[in-house]
């Protein structure tokens, strides 16, 4: 005798097939690796690789800057950390407020605390000032941001372009080094 095919039986078979497929996928993708296999997967000359880092530099009891990145690789002998998809916040910069910096990649020099950002770098202040360039260097000791690339600064009713830049954070002063051009709107 042939059993009746009901909706309940069809649903039960579909659920069992789906459960089997999910179990197989989980088993296949989550094989455990030995520590030796994990170390072999690191790129050459990399001592440590991490995902989603979040580091805050403090001075006394005050936070000074925060560095976040999607992935990090550290080379102990070079004393530098390579970063991907970087976000940095420099806190409490007077009238400018907090400054948010982003870049596609970068390097953090662990011995000095200096940071280099490259690839579509954007810096924005709480007051609406925005800086666009391809590379930027933050000198931790001097509290200064510099760039040798073409830069574009956008503020309310003004856009300035040029080559090279120095931002003196304690003095809240920006200097564009050459080829300066400013366009004013609403004048």
């Amino acid at each position: 005798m042939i059993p009746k095919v009901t909706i309940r039986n069809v649903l039960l078979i579909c659920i069992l097939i789906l459960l089997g497929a999910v179990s197989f996928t989980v088993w296949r993708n989550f094989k455990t690796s030995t520590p030796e296999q994990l170390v072999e997967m690191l790129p050459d000359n990399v001592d440590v690789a991490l995902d989603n880092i979040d580091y805050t530099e403090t001075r006394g009891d005050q936070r000074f800057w925060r560095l976040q990145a999607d992935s990090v690789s550290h080379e102990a002998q070079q004393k530098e950390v390579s970063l991907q998809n970087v976000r940095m916040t420099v806190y409490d910069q007077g009238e400018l407020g907090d400054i948010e910096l982003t870049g596609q990649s970068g390097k953090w020099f662990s011995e000095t605390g200096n940071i280099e950002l490259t690839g579509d770098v954007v810096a924005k202040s709480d007051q609406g000032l925005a800086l666009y360039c391809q590379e930027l260097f933050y000198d931790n000791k001097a509290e200064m941001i510099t760039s040798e690339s073409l830069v574009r600064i956008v503020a309310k009713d003004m856009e300035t372009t040029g080559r090279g830049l120095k931002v003196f954070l304690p003095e809240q002063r920006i200097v564009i080094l050459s080829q300066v051009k400013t366009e004013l709107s609403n004048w």
Side-chain angles (χ1 to χ4, degrees):
M1 173 176 223
I2 300 175
K4 287 184 180 179
V5 176
T6 64
I7 293 177
R8 192 168 93 182
N9 291 344
V10 170
L11 284 175
L12 181 61
I13 291 170
C14 288
I15 290 172
L16 289 173
I17 291 171
L18 184 62
L19 197 58
V22 168
S23 298
F24 177 74
T25 303
V26 168
W27 172 78
R28 185 173 174 213
N29 290 326
F30 288 105
K31 295 177 185 175
T32 58
S33 299
T34 66
E36 292 80 15
Q37 291 171 324
L38 291 174
V39 169
E40 287 176 12
M41 291 172 35
L42 288 174
D44 292 337
N45 301 324
V46 171
D47 299 313
V48 177
L50 302 169
D51 288 334
N52 300 315
I53 66 117
D54 191 335
Y55 174 81
T56 301
E57 172 92 9
T58 58
R59 295 189 180 168
D61 61 346
Q62 297 290 320
R63 63 185 181 168
F64 190 67
W65 54 264
R66 177 181 184 189
L67 180 67
Q68 299 170 290
D70 289 350
S71 65
V72 173
S73 58
H74 182 260
E75 298 178 39
Q77 288 187 358
Q78 301 267 338
K79 296 186 180 177
E80 68 184 45
V81 178
S82 296
L83 310 163
Q84 294 299 315
N85 295 322
V86 186
R87 296 163 308 284
M88 181 179 176
T89 305
V90 182
Y91 294 107
D92 303 322
Q93 296 304 305
E95 290 181 24
L96 294 174
D98 295 346
I99 299 174
E100 301 282 336
L101 298 113
T102 59
Q104 292 176 349
S105 61
K107 290 184 180 180
W108 174 34
F109 301 93
S110 55
E111 194 169 83
T112 61
N114 295 342
I115 298 170
E116 179 181 286
L117 298 177
T118 55
D120 297 327
V121 178
V122 178
K124 292 185 178 181
S125 76
D126 286 344
Q127 301 303 316
L129 186 67
L131 164 71
Y132 303 91
C133 61
Q134 286 302 309
E135 57 90 14
L136 202 73
F137 183 78
Y138 172 72
D139 186 322
N140 190 40
K141 186 175 180 181
E143 296 181 27
M144 183 168 54
I145 296 171
T146 59
S147 178
E148 295 179 7
S149 68
L150 292 173
V151 296
R152 181 171 64 107
I153 299 175
V154 179
K156 183 180 179 188
D157 301 330
M158 181 181 82
E159 182 174 321
T160 301
T161 59
R163 178 170 295 280
L165 170 85
K166 287 187 179 181
V167 179
F168 302 91
L169 293 172
E171 295 88 13
Q172 299 178 19
R173 188 168 54 112
I174 299 172
V175 177
I176 297 179
L177 302 176
S178 65
Q179 302 171 5
V180 180
K181 180 181 176 186
T182 300
E183 293 182 19
L184 301 171
S185 57
N186 296 329
W187 276 74

